[in-house]
Amino acid sequence: GDSPNNLSITDAANGMKFTAKTTFTLEATTGSIAYSGSITLIAGSGIIIQDAITAAVANKKLTFDADYESEGDGSMTVQTGKSITSNDSDITITAWDLDMDGSLIAGTKELSIHGSKTSQTIGIGDTAKDMHITPLELARMSAEDGFRLGASSGGSITVHGVTQATSNALGAITTLVAGGDNHQVVFATLASTFNALAVQADNGVLVQADMTTDVGVLTLNGDMDDSSTEDSHNKIAIGGRRTLTSKGQM
């Protein structure tokens, strides 16, 4: 056999970028995948990580864009038992959906996930949307500096039954952003718990289930563009008897 069967990506002066017209697959089979600088991986219709990826040095941003061309068909996939470990570096993912049977580990830095299409909806927990982050997928993500989901042009986000066990490794604060025109963040059906939570929506935050932050602040902004005329809702609406509990400020 061959030795060492490893895939190594070394740093250029300003980082390196790799682009695939369709699917981008990274595989080392019996070896390992390592990188020593800031890298960006771009694919037209999906990125598939078949073996563990580990950063050799810290503070080198790792960026994935799994759906850059005809948006709506590119998923970010990490196969079962594999991991992406950034060695205390930010990880940013843009995709239509996630297939996260492996782990995302940002160490002391931040993990950011965005939809690839304008107004793309996201479900986190037990409700599926265009992008769906299931409870098991969420539990496989860790980032001490926090977790950011959504974007200023993103669609509505539905949060359904996120438990303390599944969100505990998301670090300092989880930030949910549904900034696309007329979009909302909805807490639906079953209670959700985060370490700390900041919610920003263009056209309202709908609280239809109990919410808890068990470490830090709970902040809700239902009018992030500060417009009183362009959107129909722009409110924080609490439906029925709901309990909002914050360990820090609210």
Side-chain angles (χ1 to χ4, degrees):
D2 300 318
S3 180
N5 284 335
N6 296 330
L7 172 60
S8 297
I9 303 171
T10 56
D11 191 24
N14 297 307
M16 300 186 73
K17 180 166 69 174
F18 304 88
T19 303
K21 179 71 172 176
T22 56
T23 304
F24 197 138
T25 301
L26 278 178
E27 178 183 10
T29 310
T30 60
S32 62
I33 303 171
Y35 67 98
S36 61
S38 298
I39 62 170
T40 300
L41 305 182
I42 301 173
S45 56
I47 295 175
I48 302 172
I49 306 301
Q50 295 187 336
D51 291 288
I53 298 178
T54 304
V57 295
N59 293 315
K60 297 292 184 178
K61 185 175 181 179
L62 180 58
T63 303
F64 300 93
D65 185 346
D67 193 22
Y68 84 93
E69 195 170 44
S70 57
E71 292 92 349
D73 62 355
S75 293
M76 176 71 190
T77 300
V78 180
Q79 293 194 340
T80 303
K82 308 306 179 182
S83 62
I84 298 173
T85 304
S86 69
N87 190 7
D88 299 334
S89 303
D90 291 331
I91 300 175
T92 299
I93 296 172
T94 303
W96 175 248
D97 197 10
L98 299 183
D99 186 3
M100 199 58 54
D101 293 324
S103 302
L104 290 171
I105 305 168
T108 61
K109 295 297 186 176
E110 183 181 62
L111 171 62
S112 299
I113 298 177
H114 315 284
S116 57
K117 291 186 73 171
T118 299
S119 297
Q120 177 179 336
T121 60
I122 300 175
I124 177 172
D126 292 324
T127 295
K129 295 294 181 180
D130 294 333
M131 176 188 288
H132 185 201
I133 303 177
T134 70
L136 286 176
E137 289 175 328
L138 194 65
R140 298 185 186 111
M141 303 177 188
S142 63
E144 291 181 20
D145 199 34
F147 174 54
R148 184 176 180 88
L149 181 66
S152 59
S153 62
S156 294
I157 298 174
T158 300
V159 184
H160 177 184
V162 174
T163 66
Q164 189 273 343
T166 56
S167 66
N168 194 49
L170 297 180
I173 191 166
T174 294
T175 303
L176 306 178
V177 182
D181 191 38
N182 287 322
H183 289 291
Q184 301 174 323
V185 177
V186 181
F187 292 83
T189 312
L190 296 176
S192 290
T193 300
F194 295 88
N195 292 335
L197 185 63
V199 179
Q200 303 171 38
D202 176 70
N203 192 32
V205 177
L206 309 184
V207 181
Q208 301 168 354
D210 294 349
M211 301 168 59
T212 299
T213 58
D214 57 6
V215 176
V217 301
L218 172 59
T219 303
L220 308 178
N221 181 354
D223 185 22
M224 63 179 289
D225 64 351
D226 195 23
S227 170
S228 60
T229 59
E230 293 182 2
D231 303 306
S232 60
H233 198 274
N234 282 342
K235 303 173 185 175
I236 298 168
I238 301 175
R241 289 189 170 183
R242 304 299 171 199
T243 300
L244 281 66
T245 304
S246 177
K247 185 73 171 181
Q249 291 183 332
M250 184 184 298

